[in-house]
Amino acid sequence: MKAIFEKRDETNPYTLLLLHGTGGNERDLLPIADMIDKGASVLSVRGNVLENGMPRFFKRLREGVFDEEDLIFRTDELKNYLHEAAEEHGFDRDKVIAVGYSNGANIAGSLLYHYNNVLNGAVLLHPMVPRRGIELPDMSGTPVFIGAGKNDPICPPQETEELEASLMEAGAAVEVFWADQGHQLTREEIDNAASWYKKVTKGE
Ligand code: MLT
């Protein structure tokens, strides 16, 4: 996969896995990584799928309707890539926290929905429910931050609530922050994600 890896503060054990939204690339979320944890290493990946020239992490049939077969295949591909990248760059595979926006949040959610202990935590910015009708792995102790929009036309509030409930039922510790700027990221949302991150990684 095409990706950027940056080792930053040598004493910081965490790696942020950055996953952009549809039409984005591996540079998009670098400023957000700085706002969340300047010292963490960064592995920022570009989605392997192209939709009319726009990079994505998996195919969709139309807006909001995922191609499940491709989602499963791409989720497995990303999980394997994470193992390979950890070996290549020497980062701690058990200290990877995903930060995904929109389509990137959906593949991060899909990692959590399909594999046990695949992420140490996740910041899901405007995510949807990645799959329905499957049994989720045990997520006991996995902290998840969800940034949502009360008026997000792509991820309506009921879907955020459904995602929160299913993650919690699987044992994850979920915190939801609501903004009112539709599907857009807000400064307040990222500030809240940064506070959540400090709390879960440093106990602050
Ligand atoms: C998706 O396809 O993952 C969602 O519709 C969000 C997006 O527009 O990328």
Side-chain angles (χ1 to χ4, degrees):
M1 298 187 83
K2 189 166 169 37
I4 298 173
F5 177 77
E6 284 175 12
K7 176 107 202 139
R8 304 199 288 182
D9 179 350
E10 292 285 336
T11 63
N12 188 319
Y14 288 95
T15 296
L16 299 178
L17 169 67
L18 306 183
L19 303 162
H20 61 78
T22 299
N25 65 43
E26 64 282 11
R27 307 213 68 83
D28 287 4
L29 298 185
L30 293 174
I32 288 177
D34 281 350
M35 286 161 75
I36 292 178
D37 185 355
K38 248 189 180 336
S41 295
V42 161
L43 178 68
S44 190
V45 185
R46 184 185 296 191
N48 254 351
V49 166
L50 279 181
E51 181 187 273
N52 301 321
M54 297 185 297
R56 284 177 54 85
F57 288 96
F58 56 89
K59 292 183 193 156
R60 59 181 164 184
L61 304 178
R62 55 178 187 277
E63 169 92 42
V65 183
F66 302 160
D67 177 333
E68 281 215 353
E69 201 181 313
D70 192 60
L71 174 63
I72 294 165
F73 174 78
R74 299 293 169 189
T75 305
D76 183 59
E77 182 181 55
L78 181 58
K79 179 197 61 144
N80 293 336
Y81 175 72
L82 269 175
H83 286 294
E84 283 161 26
E87 297 229 321
E88 183 186 342
H89 301 294
F91 62 80
D92 184 347
R93 178 64 194 84
D94 295 329
K95 288 254 183 294
V96 175
I97 298 195
V99 179
Y101 169 58
S102 191
N103 183 244
N106 295 339
I107 191 107
S110 181
L111 281 172
L112 293 172
Y113 264 48
H114 289 101
Y115 301 106
N116 193 236
N117 293 327
V118 68
L119 295 170
N120 194 226
V123 174
L124 306 179
L125 304 167
H126 301 266
M128 295 168 66
V129 174
R131 284 194 70 196
R132 293 187 169 87
I134 58 166
E135 198 177 322
L136 304 195
D138 180 9
M139 293 182 210
S140 300
T142 304
V144 178
F145 176 92
I146 297 178
K150 286 180 209 149
N151 53 351
D152 186 333
I154 297 174
C155 317
Q158 312 82 273
E159 182 145 354
T160 304
E161 281 157 12
E162 182 187 342
L163 179 65
E164 178 188 15
S166 74
L167 290 169
M168 284 181 51
E169 208 180 298
V174 188
E175 193 171 305
V176 182
F177 174 79
W178 292 97
D180 58 4
Q181 300 294 314
H183 197 58
Q184 279 179 47
L185 289 177
T186 68
R187 175 71 206 220
E188 220 192 335
E189 179 177 351
I190 304 304
D191 287 346
N192 273 270
S195 306
W196 166 90
Y197 178 92
K198 277 201 189 78
K199 201 166 59 191
V200 301
T201 59
K202 304 188 178 88
E204 282 172 23

